[in-house]
PDB file of all heavy atoms in Angstrom:
ATOM      1  N   ARG B 296     199.810 226.622   7.341  1.00  0.00           N
ATOM      2  CA  ARG B 296     198.359 226.775   7.229  1.00  0.00           C
ATOM      3  C   ARG B 296     198.042 228.149   6.641  1.00  0.00           C
ATOM      4  O   ARG B 296     197.626 229.073   7.343  1.00  0.00           O
ATOM      5  CB  ARG B 296     197.717 226.617   8.608  1.00  0.00           C
ATOM      6  CG  ARG B 296     196.231 226.344   8.539  1.00  0.00           C
ATOM      7  CD  ARG B 296     195.635 226.188   9.930  1.00  0.00           C
ATOM      8  NE  ARG B 296     194.202 226.439   9.894  1.00  0.00           N
ATOM      9  CZ  ARG B 296     193.282 225.520   9.614  1.00  0.00           C
ATOM     10  NH1 ARG B 296     193.647 224.298   9.345  1.00  0.00           N
ATOM     11  NH2 ARG B 296     192.014 225.830   9.603  1.00  0.00           N
ATOM     12  N   PRO B 297     198.245 228.287   5.330  1.00  0.00           N
ATOM     13  CA  PRO B 297     198.124 229.605   4.713  1.00  0.00           C
ATOM     14  C   PRO B 297     196.735 230.228   4.843  1.00  0.00           C
ATOM     15  O   PRO B 297     196.603 231.445   4.748  1.00  0.00           O
ATOM     16  CB  PRO B 297     198.481 229.366   3.248  1.00  0.00           C
ATOM     17  CG  PRO B 297     198.505 227.903   3.059  1.00  0.00           C
ATOM     18  CD  PRO B 297     198.668 227.257   4.384  1.00  0.00           C
ATOM     19  N   ARG B 298     195.718 229.411   5.068  1.00  0.00           N
ATOM     20  CA  ARG B 298     194.391 230.050   5.180  1.00  0.00           C
ATOM     21  C   ARG B 298     194.113 230.525   6.594  1.00  0.00           C
ATOM     22  O   ARG B 298     193.034 231.010   6.903  1.00  0.00           O
ATOM     23  CB  ARG B 298     193.315 229.102   4.678  1.00  0.00           C
ATOM     24  CG  ARG B 298     193.087 227.895   5.546  1.00  0.00           C
ATOM     25  CD  ARG B 298     192.570 226.728   4.702  1.00  0.00           C
ATOM     26  NE  ARG B 298     192.996 225.489   5.293  1.00  0.00           N
ATOM     27  CZ  ARG B 298     192.176 224.622   5.839  1.00  0.00           C
ATOM     28  NH1 ARG B 298     190.903 224.814   5.815  1.00  0.00           N
ATOM     29  NH2 ARG B 298     192.633 223.520   6.391  1.00  0.00           N
ATOM     30  N   GLY B 299     195.120 230.359   7.512  1.00  0.00           N
ATOM     31  CA  GLY B 299     194.971 230.881   8.864  1.00  0.00           C
ATOM     32  C   GLY B 299     194.143 229.980   9.750  1.00  0.00           C
ATOM     33  O   GLY B 299     193.732 228.885   9.351  1.00  0.00           O
ATOM     34  N   ILE B 300     193.884 230.457  10.966  1.00  0.00           N
ATOM     35  CA  ILE B 300     193.176 229.629  11.945  1.00  0.00           C
ATOM     36  C   ILE B 300     191.730 229.403  11.528  1.00  0.00           C
ATOM     37  O   ILE B 300     191.246 228.281  11.464  1.00  0.00           O
ATOM     38  CB  ILE B 300     193.212 230.302  13.338  1.00  0.00           C
ATOM     39  CG1 ILE B 300     194.655 230.360  13.838  1.00  0.00           C
ATOM     40  CG2 ILE B 300     192.344 229.538  14.323  1.00  0.00           C
ATOM     41  CD1 ILE B 300     194.834 231.236  15.056  1.00  0.00           C
ATOM     42  N   ALA B 301     191.035 230.485  11.222  1.00  0.00           N
ATOM     43  CA  ALA B 301     189.602 230.368  10.976  1.00  0.00           C
ATOM     44  C   ALA B 301     189.265 230.365   9.489  1.00  0.00           C
ATOM     45  O   ALA B 301     188.119 230.221   9.107  1.00  0.00           O
ATOM     46  CB  ALA B 301     188.857 231.513  11.659  1.00  0.00           C
ATOM     47  N   GLY B 302     190.274 230.573   8.652  1.00  0.00           N
ATOM     48  CA  GLY B 302     190.002 230.664   7.216  1.00  0.00           C
ATOM     49  C   GLY B 302     189.427 229.363   6.689  1.00  0.00           C
ATOM     50  O   GLY B 302     189.827 228.276   7.083  1.00  0.00           O
ATOM     51  N   SER B 303     188.443 229.486   5.829  1.00  0.00           N
ATOM     52  CA  SER B 303     187.859 228.272   5.284  1.00  0.00           C
ATOM     53  C   SER B 303     187.749 228.439   3.783  1.00  0.00           C
ATOM     54  O   SER B 303     187.752 229.540   3.260  1.00  0.00           O
ATOM     55  CB  SER B 303     186.473 228.053   5.869  1.00  0.00           C
ATOM     56  OG  SER B 303     185.661 229.156   5.561  1.00  0.00           O
ATOM     57  N   ASN B 304     187.701 227.348   3.099  1.00  0.00           N
ATOM     58  CA  ASN B 304     187.468 227.412   1.663  1.00  0.00           C
ATOM     59  C   ASN B 304     186.080 226.894   1.389  1.00  0.00           C
ATOM     60  O   ASN B 304     185.800 225.729   1.600  1.00  0.00           O
ATOM     61  CB  ASN B 304     188.467 226.531   0.899  1.00  0.00           C
ATOM     62  CG  ASN B 304     189.864 227.066   1.025  1.00  0.00           C
ATOM     63  OD1 ASN B 304     190.053 228.273   1.058  1.00  0.00           O
ATOM     64  ND2 ASN B 304     190.831 226.175   1.111  1.00  0.00           N
ATOM     65  N   ILE B 305     185.223 227.801   0.943  1.00  0.00           N
ATOM     66  CA  ILE B 305     183.902 227.330   0.555  1.00  0.00           C
ATOM     67  C   ILE B 305     183.949 227.085  -0.934  1.00  0.00           C
ATOM     68  O   ILE B 305     184.182 228.003  -1.707  1.00  0.00           O
ATOM     69  CB  ILE B 305     182.828 228.352   0.899  1.00  0.00           C
ATOM     70  CG1 ILE B 305     182.774 228.520   2.404  1.00  0.00           C
ATOM     71  CG2 ILE B 305     181.474 227.929   0.366  1.00  0.00           C
ATOM     72  CD1 ILE B 305     182.355 229.880   2.817  1.00  0.00           C
ATOM     73  N   GLN B 306     183.795 225.852  -1.308  1.00  0.00           N
ATOM     74  CA  GLN B 306     183.906 225.568  -2.728  1.00  0.00           C
ATOM     75  C   GLN B 306     182.539 225.445  -3.345  1.00  0.00           C
ATOM     76  O   GLN B 306     181.633 224.872  -2.764  1.00  0.00           O
ATOM     77  CB  GLN B 306     184.704 224.286  -2.937  1.00  0.00           C
ATOM     78  CG  GLN B 306     186.177 224.596  -2.836  1.00  0.00           C
ATOM     79  CD  GLN B 306     187.024 223.391  -3.076  1.00  0.00           C
ATOM     80  OE1 GLN B 306     186.514 222.278  -3.189  1.00  0.00           O
ATOM     81  NE2 GLN B 306     188.319 223.608  -3.149  1.00  0.00           N
ATOM     82  N   GLU B 307     182.454 226.005  -4.510  1.00  0.00           N
ATOM     83  CA  GLU B 307     181.183 225.986  -5.209  1.00  0.00           C
ATOM     84  C   GLU B 307     181.075 224.672  -5.962  1.00  0.00           C
ATOM     85  O   GLU B 307     181.997 224.257  -6.638  1.00  0.00           O
ATOM     86  CB  GLU B 307     181.120 227.148  -6.182  1.00  0.00           C
ATOM     87  CG  GLU B 307     179.800 227.289  -6.836  1.00  0.00           C
ATOM     88  CD  GLU B 307     179.369 228.744  -6.856  1.00  0.00           C
ATOM     89  OE1 GLU B 307     180.156 229.597  -6.430  1.00  0.00           O
ATOM     90  OE2 GLU B 307     178.260 229.000  -7.287  1.00  0.00           O
TER      91      GLU B 307
END
Side-chain angles (χ1 to χ4, degrees):
Chain B
R296 197 180 158 87
R298 69 208 150 113
I300 295 169
S303 59
N304 293 324
I305 296 150
Q306 279 182 353
E307 186 136 4

